[in-house]
């Protein structure tokens, strides 16, 4: 099964999503998008397939978002894409592609909505939160 994750190894959410993919017995194609950013066309296609706006995929925290004035509502999608191409850190992550769809997996457990394989056992996020119980089912949330 082909699964692709646009991944930042320095991001806990991205690492947790990768862990959940692997907990389903799947070794995904990992694209470290800061080293190998998607092309403008591919990014536009991913955004379209997610069914979200370009702004929905822009990361503000820890990026030059404010310095570039990207919060201005007059900024067009094309200008936003230009900024994302010039500064890939603006692309929010992780974006996961599976046979069931494409999703920005924030929080990380949203990857479960598009994974076609079941979880194989318990999974805890890096902070210790149980996401999948020992039977491979989503843990109850508080």
């Amino acid at each position: 099964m082909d699964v692709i994750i646009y991944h930042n190894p320095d991001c806990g959410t991205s690492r947790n999503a990768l862990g959940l993919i692997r907990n389903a017995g799947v070794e995904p194609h990992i694209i470290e998008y800061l080293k190998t950013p998607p092309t403008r066309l591919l990014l536009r296609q991913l955004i379209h397939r997610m069914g979200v706006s370009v702004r929905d995929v822009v990361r503000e925290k820890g990026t030059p978002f404010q310095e570039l004035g990207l919060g201005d509502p007059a900024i067009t999608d094309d200008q936003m894409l230009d900024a994302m191409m010039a500064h890939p850190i603006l692309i929010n992550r992780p974006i996961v592609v599976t046979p069931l769809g494409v999703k920005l997996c924030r929080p990380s457990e949203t990857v479960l909505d598009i994974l076609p394989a079941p979880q194989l056992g318990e999974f805890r996020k890096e902070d210790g939160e149980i996401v999948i119980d020992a039977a491979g089912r989503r843990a109850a949330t508080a």
Side-chain angles (χ1 to χ4, degrees):
M1 152 186 4
D2 268 350
V3 174
I4 300 166
I5 181 170
Y6 291 88
H7 178 61
N8 180 346
D10 294 330
C11 171
T13 301
S14 197
R15 290 190 305 268
N16 285 325
L18 177 58
L20 284 162
I21 295 167
R22 287 177 169 159
N23 198 50
V26 175
E27 185 54 41
H29 300 283
I30 300 170
I31 299 172
E32 290 189 31
Y33 73 95
L34 294 177
K35 294 178 181 176
T36 310
T39 64
R40 180 188 183 92
L41 177 61
L42 178 56
L43 181 59
R44 188 180 281 284
Q45 289 171 341
L46 290 169
I47 292 168
H48 176 75
R49 289 178 65 195
M50 285 187 274
V52 300
S53 73
V54 172
R55 285 187 184 273
D56 289 337
V57 182
V58 176
R59 182 167 178 83
E60 295 181 33
K61 183 180 170 188
T63 73
F65 181 87
Q66 294 298 333
E67 295 87 346
L68 295 172
L70 297 177
D72 182 343
I75 299 287
T76 66
D77 285 354
D78 281 332
Q79 290 170 315
M80 197 70 74
L81 285 166
D82 289 342
M84 294 162 84
M85 293 296 91
H87 307 277
I89 192 72
L90 288 165
I91 302 169
N92 214 340
R93 75 281 180 157
I95 296 173
V96 178
V97 180
T98 78
L100 298 181
V102 181
K103 197 173 217 29
L104 174 62
C105 295
R106 298 191 73 81
S108 56
E109 55 269 24
T110 61
V111 74
L112 298 170
D113 298 337
I114 59 170
L115 276 180
Q119 294 290 292
L120 300 176
E122 182 180 287
F123 182 84
R124 293 175 183 259
K125 288 184 177 182
E126 291 179 358
D127 66 4
E129 176 187 350
I130 296 176
V131 178
I132 303 297
D133 67 20
R137 296 182 304 251
R138 283 191 194 205
T141 56

